[in-house]
Each structure stands twice: as C-alpha cells, then as structure tokens.
DNA sequence: GAGTGGTCTAGACCACTGT
DNA sequence: CAGTGGTCTAGACCACTCC
C-alpha cells in the first residue's frame, strides 16, 4: 500500500509524461487537488514537493504550480582552453571583441554583464597544496560574476587565485579597474612570461549552500556543479587555481580527450 | 522578520559550523527542538528539511537526525581512457586481473560486484544522431551496474550502445554470458578492427528520477551526474555511445587538457 | 478582491530502531 | 518496550499575483 502523497505524485507524473499536462501548463490548485484526491492540502503539498525535487514542477507563489519548461543550457567545452591560449597573442583590438564567455554561449559582449572584484588574501591549506607553496603565501583573489543582460541572476560564480609574487612584475594585474582585460587571464600571464601548457579540471556536484541558493537564484532541489581548475605552465608549475560554481540544471560540460595511436 | 523554520535552521547550521555539533552527532529529538524553540514539530521538521537539502543533516527513521559525515568519493579521470587503450592489447591473463573500475577506485576485483545485461534495440533520434546513422538502426544495448561488495546500492548505472553491424563480425560481442570481458569494450572493439582515437564526454547534473533515487539509494536532495561518452575511431566515426548515471555526492571527475606550445 | 501558494499549529497514529 | 522520525488531518492566517 503506497503512501498517499506518493500516489498523488504518481498520478501527476503520469499526466505530465503522457502529455495531458504540457510544459508551462498550470496544475489544478492545491485545494482543488485535495478535493479531487480526497486528501488534505498538506498531503497534496508533500506530493508537489516530490515533483519539484525531480524538476518536473515549478511552484510560483500566488500564481500556481506549473509543469516546468526546460531551461536554456550553457555549454562549456575544454576546447575553450586552446582557443583562449591562441587568443592571448592576438592584437589587442581583436582580443577585446570577444571573451571566453561569449565563446561558450555563442553570444556577443552586449548580451552579457560582468562583474569583477580583487582581494589580497593568504593561502589556506587547500590552495597552498594546489600551488605547491607554503600556507600563508600572499595571493590575489579575483571574483567574477557573469549573467545574461536579460536575467537577474548570474549563471556562474568564479573565484580565481594567483600567487602574488608570480605576477607582481606587471602592476596592472593587481588593479581591478583594468577589468575586463582584453584576452583575459591568459594574456595577463603572458605579460609576465608565463605560458600555460596543461589544465586540470575537477568536477563535482553538491547541494548548494544557503548563500549560493540566494545568489544564483536556484530553484529548490537544484545542485551546483563545482569546477576546480588548475593551470600549469611549461615548467609544470601551478600558476592559477580557480573555482567555478555553476547551476547544475543549466550547465553542460564537454571534454574531449585525444589518444595516442597504436 | 525571518521565518520561524529559517531561524531554527540558522541556529542549527551555526552549531554545526562552529563545531558544537560534530559530524556523526545526533541532533536533539524533533519534539525536544520544538519545546526548546517554542515551535510546533512540523515547523521544526521544515527546518530540518532545509538542512537536509544542504547536505548538512541526515535523517534516519527511528534513530534521529544526524550531522552528516563526508562520503567516500569515487574519482574518475580522463587519463583512464589512455590506460584502457593500452590495456586492450595486453595479454589476456593481464587484462583479466584488473578493470577500469578498479583503476578508478584503487580497489581490487574482489571489492567490486558487476552486473551486465545485453539487449537488442533500435536507435532513437538522440542516439542515431550521435552515431550518424538512420533512426531505427539496430543496436546492441548493454547495461552495467557496479557496486562495492560491502554496500547494497551500486555507485553507477551505465548503458552502452554499439551499432550491431559494426561489431557483428565477432559473435562473442553479442553474447552477454561472456561478461566480464577481459580488457573490456576496448579489447572487444579491437577484435573487429576498431581503434579508438578520441573520446567526447558531456557532463550534466540534474535531479534524479524516482527510479534512480530507488536504484542508487540516493538521499533526498542529491543530484545525479550524467556523463554521456562518445568514442570515435581513427576514421572519426562514432563507435560507442554510453550514458553513465552517477550519484552526485560521491563522484569526482578529473579532466586533463594538454595544449599546443607557443 | 478573488484566488493562489506559504507558514504554522496541535495533535493522532504509524513505522522503524534499539534495548 | 520506549524513543525516534514519518505520515496525515483540519484548519487559521499571511503573502503574493492578477484583474
């Protein structure tokens, strides 16, 4: 004997899968569903919460419960790294025209809004290990936010770290008012003689913290994807460590691996 | 004025972050928390649900609510592909000794339990496009499950597709009783003259379906990571398409990208 | 203002865990 | 068995949306 809220959820789930309820349609009001099923409103709400967690239903306060539409996805391919590397040595005029975010989304600079902030911090154990330096080493921490002009919430939160001594030869790199920098980090590093040779990216998914839910405007039940990127120069030294927090429901990552021939 | 359940959640969250409640500790009973905070039990339960969605609290029926411990992670690196390719041409005795799952987990074949099942299906639009063949083309669909011997639930669900005509030259590839095949798919394909040259992996995260929650024994609020892998041979032809469903809270993926030198 | 979902109460009863 | 969380009820009142 199944639980009441599961049976209600099953019925609605089937209506959605069978197309009797289509994306964007409003479900019957909670009080109405309670009458129809002969259950109390809280029990109906338990069923709707289940469907919300599955991404099938979206609750909108004051308007109703809706069958969820697929959201536009942002693709991010590791081929972007070679592209960024190539772009870093283009003339300044060409570098300014498009950034890696536009490369990923296929949009122009006018469709996107950036925000950058710099801070000086010291390395914690985790970052120190990634860079292979002592804990407490001085770092530049740069935080980036990117969003569509048309939307309120950013689609990523990026925190990037550089070792201060490694980049201090070019004082402009310590100055946030120079953002956005044409050609981005890759060009910045090239001004102090650093060439990037290899990128390691670690991808995990986890539930969002309360702060991330707020800032990325995540619907309940959506996970965030955390991408930790380490860039190594031609000497095998880690030169940049960054963390990207991405909304799990609208991010697709594409990684291509080339193999040695037999 | 914050909502009651949020205030209760904040208090508990702070106790956990400050270390007054440590991983594995039991929280006060729900009735007890209701008394302490002067709220009803359902309101306390709303607070606990919030913390559960954040991965901070684990609810155990009949025992209590607990501060969640970090779970053991399974790492999966794209260096596994070169490793698998190399292994495919080792002698059979060497191939049998260890598989790619052991390579990822660092365990031996005795720690892991496999289950394989074959089916013959026809290509839907999505898979047909990936293979570059017509819809309705005959495919072999193979489903794999892997779990730790000590645990009930598998840590992945894998569905792999091959075009039937491409592999029919070796009838053993159509026979599920030959599993586990020493050297895996890579060796299987080499028996019909296929060498894999390039791998594309698409990673997304999404809420689990009701079936996946059941089969992977996922705690509520945990996302699944879906990895869609396409293998291309030396002629650039797609020869295998597979979908892996992984529990988001215990999977880390590592991708290394090598770049051209300046 | 009418209709919607969001918060909260007070309590009954069931299901699971450990002793 | 005692103690825990899980399900469910019946309803009050608030907050939001749209007309």
């Amino acid at each position: 004997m199944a639980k009441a809220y599961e049976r209600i959820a099953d019925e609605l789930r089937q209506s959605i899968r069978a197309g009797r309820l289509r994306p964007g349609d409003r479900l019957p009001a909670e009080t109405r569903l309670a009458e129809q099923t002969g259950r109390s409103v809280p029990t109906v709400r338990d069923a709707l919460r289940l469907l919300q967690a599955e991404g099938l239903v979206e609750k909108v306060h004051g308007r109703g419960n809706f069958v969820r539409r697929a959201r536009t996805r942002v693709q991010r391919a590791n081929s972007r790294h070679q592209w960024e590397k190539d772009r870093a040595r283009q003339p300044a005029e060409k570098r300014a025209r498009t950034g890696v975010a536009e490369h990923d989304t296929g949009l122009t600079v006018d469709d996107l809004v950036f925000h950058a902030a710099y801070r000086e911090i010291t390395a914690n154990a985790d970052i120190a290990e990634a860079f292979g330096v002592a804990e407490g080493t001085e770092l530049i921490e740069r935080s980036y936010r990117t969003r569509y002009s048309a939307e309120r919430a950013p689609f990523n939160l990026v925190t990037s770290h550089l070792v201060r001594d490694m980049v201090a030869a070019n004082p402009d790199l310590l100055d946030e008012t120079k953002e956005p920098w044409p050609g981005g980090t890759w060009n910045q590093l090239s001004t102090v003689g650093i060439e990037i040779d290899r990128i390691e990216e670690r991808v995990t998914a986890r539930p969002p913290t309360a702060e991330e839910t707020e800032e990325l405007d995540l619907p309940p039940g959506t996970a965030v994807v955390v991408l930790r990127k380490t860039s190594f120069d031609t000497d095998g030294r880690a030169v940049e460590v960054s963390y990207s927090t991405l909304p799990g429901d609208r991010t697709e990552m594409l990684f291509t691996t080339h193999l040695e021939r037999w």
Side-chain angles (χ1 to χ4, degrees), chain A:
Chain A
M1 170 180 66
K3 291 152 222 166
Y5 73 94
E6 282 182 352
R7 276 193 288 105
I8 298 171
D10 276 345
E11 269 177 42
L12 292 168
R13 208 184 278 119
Q14 279 197 295
S15 293
I16 293 169
R17 294 213 174 135
R20 287 191 295 278
L21 290 167
R22 320 174 114 270
D25 282 359
R26 215 199 73 190
L27 272 55
E30 298 179 351
T31 46
R32 183 92 192 82
L33 282 171
E35 283 167 24
Q36 283 177 9
T37 57
R39 295 294 174 168
S40 69
V41 169
T43 300
V44 167
R45 288 177 61 75
D46 283 346
L48 291 169
R49 180 163 40 236
L50 209 60
L51 297 173
Q52 187 187 29
E54 290 167 20
L56 287 174
V57 160
E58 184 171 1
K59 308 192 114 261
V60 186
H61 192 171
R63 295 214 298 133
N65 296 297
F66 297 84
V67 180
R68 198 156 168 205
R69 299 171 193 276
R71 299 180 68 177
T72 51
R73 293 190 159 279
V74 177
Q75 204 191 73
R76 183 189 187 287
N78 67 340
S79 56
R80 84 208 298 260
H81 302 315
Q82 187 64 52
W83 183 90
E84 275 197 280
K85 181 165 181 171
D86 294 342
R87 190 188 51 143
R89 296 205 305 181
Q90 300 288 316
E93 178 263 328
K94 204 163 188 178
R95 295 199 311 263
R97 207 175 306 146
T98 184
V100 72
E102 291 82 5
H103 177 69
D104 285 345
T105 57
L107 300 170
T108 71
V109 285
D110 296 329
D111 298 320
L112 297 170
V113 182
F114 294 91
H115 176 70
Y118 284 33
R119 265 197 326 149
E120 304 216 356
I121 63 164
T122 57
N124 64 24
D126 183 43
I127 295 177
E129 198 205 328
F131 275 121
V133 299
E135 239 179 286
T137 301
E138 291 192 327
L139 306 176
I140 313 293
E141 178 183 277
R142 306 175 301 165
S143 304
Y144 299 92
R145 242 120 276 225
T146 315
R147 65 176 173 86
Y148 292 115
S149 331
E151 296 181 4
R152 213 193 92 237
F155 58 78
N156 67 18
L157 309 174
V158 181
T159 307
S160 163
H161 299 95
L162 300 172
V163 175
R164 197 183 191 289
D165 285 350
M166 249 187 244
V167 298
N170 183 349
D172 285 351
L173 301 190
L174 312 180
D175 179 359
E176 66 183 310
T177 66
K178 304 287 184 190
E179 291 277 355
W181 184 290
T185 304
W186 296 65
N187 183 267
Q188 291 180 330
L189 292 172
S190 75
T191 67
V192 292
I194 292 173
E195 176 186 350
I196 295 175
D197 177 52
R198 176 169 56 94
I199 305 272
E200 281 188 9
E201 292 169 293
R202 291 186 155 69
V203 179
T204 55
R206 59 165 173 75
T209 64
E211 293 78 21
E212 288 164 346
T213 304
E214 171 75 17
E215 214 167 355
L216 292 171
D217 193 26
L218 295 173
T222 308
V224 293
V225 169
V226 179
L227 190 147
R228 177 179 140 165
K229 183 182 77 172
T230 311
S231 306
F232 296 89
D233 71 3
T234 50
D235 298 327
R237 185 177 58 153
V239 296
E240 193 208 5
V241 175
S242 79
Y243 293 84
S244 300
T245 305
L246 311 160
D249 64 334
R250 46 195 301 200
T251 303
E252 175 175 296
M253 284 161 291
L254 170 61
F255 295 95
T256 303
T257 308
H258 294 275
L259 302 168
E260 293 163 19
R261 291 288 177 96
W262 278 337

